[in-house]
Amino acid sequence: MTTHQDPSPRAPHQVLDGTDIARVVTRIAHEIVERAKGAEDVVLLGIHTRGVHLARRLHGRLAQITGRDIPLGTLDITMYRDDLRLKPARALEHTEIPAGGIDGKLVILVDDVLFSGRTIRAALDALSDIGRPRAVQLAVLVDRGHRELPIRADYVGKNLPTSLREAVQVRLADTDGVDAVLVGDRDYTARSSQALAPQPSEPHLPE
Amino acid sequence: MKRHLVSAADLTRDDALLILDTAEELAQLSGRAVKKLPTLRGRTVVNLFFEDSTRTKTSFEVAEKRLSADVINFSAKGSSVSKGESLKDTALTLQAMGADAVVIRHHASGAPARLAQSDWLHGSVINAGDGTHEHPTQALLDAFTMRRHLNPGASGNALRQGLDGRRVTIVGDVLHSRVARSNVHLLTTLGAQVTFVAPPTLLPIGIENWPCEISYDLESVLPKSDAVMMLRVQRERMNAAFFPTEREYSRRYGLDGTRMAQLPEHAIVMHPGPMVRGMEITAEVADSPRCTVVEQVANGVSIRMAVLYLLLGGAVFADGPADTPRTDSVETAQ
Amino acid sequence: MTTYLIRNAQITGGAPQDLHLADGVIKAIGTDLAVEADIEIDATGLIVLPGLVDLHTHLREPGREDAETVLTGTQAAAMGGFTAVHAMANTTPVADTAGVVEQVWRLGQEAGYCDVQPVGAVTVGLEGKKLAELGAMHESAANVRVFSDDGKCVDDAVLMRRALEYVKAFDGVVAQHAQEPRLTEGAQMNEGQVSGELGLGGWPAVAEEAIIARDVLLAAHVGSRLHVCHVSTAGSVEIIRWAKAKGWDVTAEVTPHHLLLTDELVRSYDPVYKVNPPLRTAEDVQALRKALADGTIDAVATDHAPHPAEDKDCEWAAAAMGMVGLETALSVVQQTMVDTGLLNWEGVADRMSRRPARIGRLAGHGRPVSVGEPANLVLFDPAYRGAVNPESFATRSRNTPYRGLDLPGRVHATFLRGRATVLAGELAEQGGEE
């Protein structure tokens, strides 16, 4: 075992709680309605895994605000990732494009954390194989910076300045039992991920 | 999953379900405008066919191209193989060309296993049918087809489900069938019960120890079957006295409309193709809506994409315990 | 001629004694022999056996010198403790004339490592149609007594009957490769559970047993000697046991690999396990061991079948059948028969030297280890254990199924008429027969 101790990694601390997340989702929904002119041709596409849950919540909010059922779909970008060869092949999640398709629509991609931008790059590639939207926008719960590609979000729940040593964890009740956003040292997260959550959630490492 | 797909027996239930679920997701692609994914860009897949097989080769080729792999077709005909080049030298050539995977169809049972165990090439080996041994992707596409039909509800509900408790009847030339061997392994792994129906001459010695049931009476088995798979019976078997005449074979073991009517309402009729109409299956059955032959072909592309993605899409790791040196595996009778 | 004094050797496993070898014979046996010798060997812990006799090898010369030559084959034989080997007739050209058998016999004499006794073909070109000139081969310098179409079965009942009858005139014997050809068309391995699963063409036991049953009846009918090559099934053992009980003059051999290996190994599809007759089941292996122990099977014969690498480095169906076996035979017999308590060293001497020499009518071989007898001897170290390393083989080929396997025992020295062909585990240079 190690003979010398590294300085103890910092335990994760909470930056958003359930109420914060609900407020942020509501705000983004209003922004969408405002900027997309009533959101008439909007299609929401959640990026697996937590982007899907956030998209569903946004969808609910938008329904309350506009009184309409905005088309909602899911997108799995695994086959478009640029880091496929760094890990064993992963199981695929379900991609579901709403019946009306995306051609000529304003597609809003929804994800939990915007980091390097590589996930969004993959999602844009996937979109271009599925159809030709009028425009594509991006909504994220947290933007933690450190972009590696010229990509920005149109709707941001919270800008969260972080160091690369840190890991941002988004937990949503749908998969993790509770709503929260935590920031902690990546080492700590890696060491004690099982102690953190009943269902260990993947920390957002550089994609 | 192992690095190669040589035998359906190599697949655990989790492996098999992963392939089926992945194929289910990839099946959506055929409905899209751009039927292509960038996943295997820059990967080279060689289709090494020592035996003619237009349908299997085409199916693999479509799957490879949909995943953006570079595809090389290396067929024994018109190549140095037909001039007596050995499997080893062919493999070394493919290795030198940088093949990441070799899809091999060979008339000799065990040729893919040999390739996978050798140090002749380092890529993944995918068995596209070897002699009278196995044809694992065929069994996977058969299971995929069965799961879609027999597991009630939308396809999404079929995910993570096997074929538990389902009864599958496989009829015909089991002795010479690689499809039958792969299916008995895979279907058993997925929880289904397999019954072989064939004249005793077309069942291999030792089959009583296989995880399946045997019957010589098709009609008694049909009412209990959820799926019945008719195997191709080659007419030349007649000359080797496996059965007296085509007429007698089809009368005893062929599937016609009357027999099909004895199947439960939900049951499907399958055939790996190519069908010999009038021999093991009548035109009435082959063209009926219960017959999934055409669907099986479409599903074959999805299954082969899934296998290629799962073997090639991720990181390639060093060989696992499956490839231990032979000295450790010498079995002797003590 | 170099003289040897072997100290403290256990003759066929008996109490330690000294042996003095000079003038090609055993000059003296005793404890603390006070004689002078050029070379003294400390044989403490070593077993002395009469030089081994192999009824069944393929030395490949003439025709396939890329696989083996008489020189390399007899060197391998010496390394395995053999002082006489029978060379099968399936060479190119086939050993079906006096000319070819004499050539093979001379090559053996020139090499000097081991006596080579050519086997003559029963039929011209091994084609099973017309008797070869059996008498001419017998009258040649090679003095052929054993005739076989090995590799092919003399399946024509009339031809087999005639051959059995004809060789009686010169005390010959027909050694039959028992394989019913129609039942083994396209056969690739033992027919059973494993062949069914692997989808390899099955080679049923009955294809061997049916021919043996027919042949023992034919031999009885015409009052001839019959030798059955490489018996591989429990059923064959039963038929031979029955024939012997009837008092018929039937002998049989078993290979070392059929005493140890089973068809489960074929699951690897590695052609190193492809052999004719095929590896059988564990039940067959047990029956063969028992039969060798009780004498139903008379002899161990290697069926040493060298093949160049390219004939094995391929898919199963395309691979050649056969295994090399001369250099591992005694070790396999120790493991399967001696270490299991089925046979003592006296029994090994009987099954690997005395009886095969008698079947082949080889004078000077298979003799007792006693004073005045030709000094055809092997010194064997039964305590040794080590992994088989084919790269160290004397045979030109490497197709052994035992690569890397730990086997007991090792030949320390072999003497052919008083000359060391192997000394301290190394081949001794030979200048040819004086």
Side-chain angles (χ1 to χ4, degrees):
Chain A
M1 304 280 28
T2 49
T3 48
H4 66 92
Q5 288 284 311
D6 289 326
S8 231
R10 237 166 5 108
H13 63 280
Q14 187 164 303
V15 290
L16 293 178
D17 63 14
T19 327
D20 299 332
I21 291 174
R23 195 173 54 238
V24 159
V25 169
T26 306
R27 173 167 58 76
I28 292 177
H30 281 287
E31 284 178 24
I32 289 172
V33 173
E34 195 180 311
R35 289 182 44 194
K37 316 241 168 4
E40 290 198 0
D41 60 353
V42 164
V43 173
L44 289 174
L45 284 184
I47 298 173
H48 279 284
T49 308
R50 287 178 187 74
V52 170
H53 305 311
L54 286 169
R56 195 175 302 127
R57 293 181 188 197
L58 265 179
H59 176 258
R61 276 278 168 273
L62 284 167
Q64 288 174 349
I65 297 166
T66 64
R68 284 186 297 108
D69 186 18
I70 309 277
L72 170 68
T74 60
L75 193 60
D76 177 65
I77 53 96
T78 306
M79 302 298 265
Y80 293 86
R81 294 182 76 107
D82 61 6
D83 63 346
L84 272 173
R85 294 184 199 176
L86 301 180
K87 292 190 205 170
R90 283 159 264 217
L92 302 183
E93 303 284 351
H94 187 52
T95 293
E96 175 130 33
I97 302 302
I102 61 168
D103 287 356
K105 303 286 174 60
L106 171 60
V107 170
I108 300 180
L109 295 170
V110 183
D111 204 0
D112 53 352
V113 178
L114 178 59
F115 187 13
S116 67
R118 289 175 191 267
T119 300
I120 306 306
R121 194 278 308 159
L124 291 170
D125 284 354
L127 276 187
S128 70
D129 281 354
I130 292 166
R132 189 178 180 283
R134 171 172 73 75
V136 182
Q137 294 183 341
L138 172 63
V140 297
L141 182 60
V142 173
D143 181 349
R144 63 165 295 191
H146 304 291
R147 213 76 75 242
E148 293 165 4
L149 292 171
I151 281 169
R152 61 165 181 78
D154 299 273
Y155 312 97
V156 178
K158 183 173 176 62
N159 281 298
L160 198 60
T162 55
S163 84
L164 280 172
R165 285 190 69 209
E166 288 171 313
V168 176
Q169 271 194 70
V170 172
R171 299 191 197 163
L172 296 174
D174 317 63
T175 47
D176 313 303
V178 67
D179 281 359
V181 174
L182 301 118
V183 179
D185 272 7
R186 205 194 301 174
D187 289 348
Y188 188 96
T189 317
R191 276 188 210 177
S192 57
S193 60
Q194 264 149 353
L196 274 175
Q199 282 182 305
S201 49
E202 286 218 350
H204 274 268
L205 306 181
E207 291 150 73
Chain B
M1 260 178 62
K2 291 187 174 178
R3 200 159 58 86
H4 309 288
L5 180 58
V6 167
S7 162
D10 295 341
L11 298 172
T12 63
R13 185 181 168 100
D14 281 346
D15 290 339
L17 289 177
L18 177 61
I19 294 171
L20 297 182
D21 291 350
T22 305
E24 197 66 67
E25 196 52 45
L26 292 170
Q28 287 188 47
L29 200 69
S30 56
R32 281 176 23 180
V34 179
K35 296 179 183 59
K36 207 170 175 81
L37 293 167
T39 316
L40 296 185
R41 252 177 25 158
R43 297 255 165 157
T44 302
V45 180
V46 178
N47 296 320
L48 177 58
F49 276 62
F50 289 85
E51 214 180 58
D52 284 336
S53 164
T54 311
R55 47 180 65 218
T56 304
K57 186 161 143 191
T58 307
S59 179
F60 268 105
E61 201 171 334
V62 169
E64 290 149 9
K65 288 182 168 166
R66 286 193 176 171
L67 289 171
S68 305
D70 293 324
V71 179
I72 297 172
N73 287 314
F74 199 104
S75 88
K77 280 196 178 153
S79 77
S80 47
V81 172
S82 54
K83 299 179 190 105
E85 187 179 76
S86 71
L87 179 64
K88 175 179 177 174
D89 287 324
T90 304
L92 291 174
T93 304
L94 301 181
Q95 172 64 21
M97 288 173 182
D100 294 298
V102 174
V103 175
I104 176 174
R105 160 68 65 98
H106 203 288
H107 43 79
S109 298
R114 191 91 178 102
L115 214 52
Q117 286 157 15
S118 74
D119 53 5
W120 305 334
L121 55 82
H122 303 131
S124 292
V125 174
I126 299 171
N127 183 359
D130 62 327
T132 54
H133 177 223
E134 285 221 39
H135 192 355
T137 57
Q138 176 71 41
L140 283 162
L141 77 88
D142 290 337
F144 183 88
T145 307
M146 284 180 224
R147 199 171 72 150
R148 280 196 155 183
H149 281 272
L150 302 180
N151 287 358
S155 62
N157 296 342
L159 293 181
R160 299 310 297 165
Q161 282 184 40
L163 290 165
D164 301 274
R166 293 300 180 173
R167 304 190 62 103
V168 181
T169 301
I170 301 178
V171 188
D173 186 356
V174 177
L175 180 64
H176 300 96
S177 175
R178 48 195 174 212
V179 177
R181 282 176 180 74
S182 284
N183 261 298
V184 75
H185 288 306
L186 183 70
L187 292 172
T188 309
T189 301
L190 290 172
Q193 277 185 291
V194 176
T195 303
F196 284 129
V197 180
T201 46
L202 291 176
L203 292 170
I205 294 280
I207 197 167
E208 59 279 3
N209 297 321
W210 293 21
C212 62
E213 286 169 28
I214 306 297
S215 171
Y216 306 131
D217 179 8
L218 181 57
E219 301 204 358
S220 70
V221 178
L222 287 175
K224 300 177 283 186
S225 303
D226 297 301
V228 55
M229 187 184 300
M230 305 305 295
L231 300 174
R232 182 166 65 122
V233 178
Q234 292 176 325
R235 291 198 165 90
E236 51 268 33
R237 301 288 177 221
M238 235 160 42
N239 306 328
F242 285 104
F243 52 88
T245 61
E246 194 178 321
R247 193 177 154 77
E248 174 155 324
Y249 181 87
S250 62
R251 215 166 24 209
R252 290 178 64 86
Y253 299 99
L255 190 63
D256 59 13
T258 319
R259 285 193 174 134
M260 185 169 67
Q262 296 178 43
L263 286 166
E265 209 165 313
H266 67 271
I268 55 171
V269 176
M270 309 178 73
H271 196 298
M275 292 187 280
V276 187
R277 288 176 186 239
M279 185 75 159
E280 71 268 8
I281 195 164
T282 63
E284 182 191 358
V285 177
D287 297 330
S288 87
R290 307 178 77 165
C291 182
T292 59
V293 172
V294 178
E295 203 185 318
Q296 284 169 269
V297 174
N299 293 344
V301 174
S302 306
I303 280 291
R304 288 168 182 130
M305 284 177 74
V307 167
L308 285 161
Y309 162 63
L310 292 168
L311 290 182
L312 279 187
V316 176
F317 292 100
D319 294 351
D323 301 288
T324 44
R326 193 184 56 225
T327 48
D328 294 343
S329 62
V330 170
E331 284 178 49
T332 56
Q334 293 297 336
Chain C
M1 188 171 184
T2 314
T3 56
Y4 295 90
L5 182 58
I6 302 166
R7 293 274 188 208
N8 291 320
Q10 301 168 37
I11 298 168
T12 58
Q17 286 193 295
D18 301 345
L19 292 90
H20 181 225
L21 313 184
D23 304 328
V25 297
I26 304 171
K27 278 278 182 204
I29 297 178
T31 45
D32 299 322
L33 281 184
V35 290
E36 291 284 312
D38 302 327
I39 295 177
E40 194 168 312
I41 299 169
D42 177 10
T44 308
L46 304 187
I47 307 271
V48 178
L49 298 173
L52 308 183
V53 176
D54 195 343
L55 281 167
H56 196 144
T57 69
H58 298 272
L59 299 185
R60 302 295 188 218
E61 192 176 0
R64 284 308 298 268
E65 290 81 358
D66 58 329
E68 194 82 289
T69 62
V70 170
L71 176 64
T72 57
T74 52
Q75 287 177 334
M79 289 296 283
F82 291 88
T83 52
V85 297
H86 288 74
M88 279 298 172
N90 62 341
T91 47
T92 315
V94 171
D96 57 1
T97 61
V100 179
V101 293
E102 276 196 18
Q103 182 198 353
V104 172
W105 178 75
R106 286 226 165 79
L107 287 168
Q109 294 295 304
E110 282 161 24
Y113 282 94
C114 176
D115 286 347
V116 174
Q117 180 56 56
V119 172
V122 177
T123 65
V124 175
L126 308 175
E127 282 173 355
K129 297 206 173 82
K130 192 172 173 304
L131 281 188
E133 290 189 352
L134 309 180
M137 288 189 273
H138 169 68
E139 285 159 17
S140 74
N143 187 23
V144 176
R145 299 288 187 102
V146 182
F147 298 90
S148 180
D149 276 0
D150 181 61
K152 290 187 177 170
C153 180
V154 183
D155 66 305
D156 181 320
V158 173
L159 203 56
M160 185 62 183
R161 172 197 166 141
R162 300 285 183 244
L164 286 166
E165 287 177 305
Y166 192 78
V167 299
K168 281 206 286 187
F170 37 87
D171 195 21
V173 64
V174 176
Q176 174 71 296
H177 173 114
Q179 179 187 352
E180 210 290 316
R182 282 281 283 151
L183 279 172
T184 50
E185 273 171 25
Q188 296 287 330
M189 67 171 296
N190 178 48
E191 181 165 63
Q193 183 71 29
V194 182
S195 66
E197 287 176 33
L198 296 185
L200 287 173
W203 191 313
V206 62
E208 174 174 313
E209 293 152 5
I211 292 291
I212 296 176
R214 182 202 73 179
D215 285 355
V216 298
L217 292 167
L218 280 176
H221 180 60
V222 298
S224 290
R225 281 213 285 152
L226 169 73
H227 180 70
V228 184
C229 292
H230 40 50
V231 170
S232 71
T233 77
S236 299
V237 166
E238 284 312 305
I239 296 162
I240 293 161
R241 187 170 282 138
W242 171 74
K244 286 192 164 186
K246 290 272 193 185
W248 300 340
D249 198 353
V250 174
T251 56
E253 69 188 34
V254 63
T255 71
H257 46 270
H258 286 110
L259 290 173
L260 182 63
L261 309 175
T262 72
D263 64 351
E264 285 292 324
L265 290 163
V266 182
R267 290 187 189 278
S268 67
Y269 287 106
D270 187 337
V272 77
Y273 303 114
K274 185 172 176 181
V275 65
N276 177 352
L279 299 178
R280 305 286 189 180
T281 67
E283 291 74 43
D284 293 306
V285 167
Q286 294 306 333
L288 293 169
R289 290 182 187 182
K290 195 163 164 287
L292 182 64
D294 69 21
T296 302
I297 293 176
D298 301 84
V300 174
T302 62
D303 197 3
H304 176 80
H307 289 291
E310 63 268 24
D311 287 352
K312 287 289 190 181
D313 229 0
C314 54
E315 61 274 25
W316 182 274
M321 296 190 229
M323 304 170 166
V324 296
L326 282 167
E327 288 163 85
T328 46
L330 195 46
S331 290
V332 173
V333 169
Q334 183 188 338
Q335 165 142 336
T336 58
M337 302 300 296
V338 181
D339 292 354
T340 53
L342 288 167
L343 214 56
N344 57 20
W345 290 109
E346 187 57 42
V348 172
D350 184 64
R351 308 296 196 274
M352 294 188 79
S353 180
R354 240 167 262 144
R355 287 221 224 175
R358 200 187 313 148
I359 291 165
R361 301 290 192 256
L362 295 182
H365 288 280
R367 305 291 306 163
V369 181
S370 46
V371 175
E373 293 289 348
N376 295 322
L377 299 171
V378 52
L379 277 180
F380 187 69
D381 176 7
Y384 175 84
R385 260 204 108 82
V388 174
N389 174 17
E391 309 317 318
S392 70
F393 281 175
T395 170
R396 184 160 282 188
S397 294
R398 300 287 171 264
N399 53 305
T400 172
Y402 311 117
R403 180 187 292 269
L405 192 69
D406 264 342
L407 286 179
R410 146 171 90 172
V411 170
H412 184 80
T414 308
F415 296 92
L416 177 62
R417 285 181 288 280
R419 278 184 301 111
T421 53
V422 172
L423 211 50
E426 304 278 347
L427 275 177
E429 191 92 2
Q430 297 303 311
E433 194 93 335
E434 296 91 317

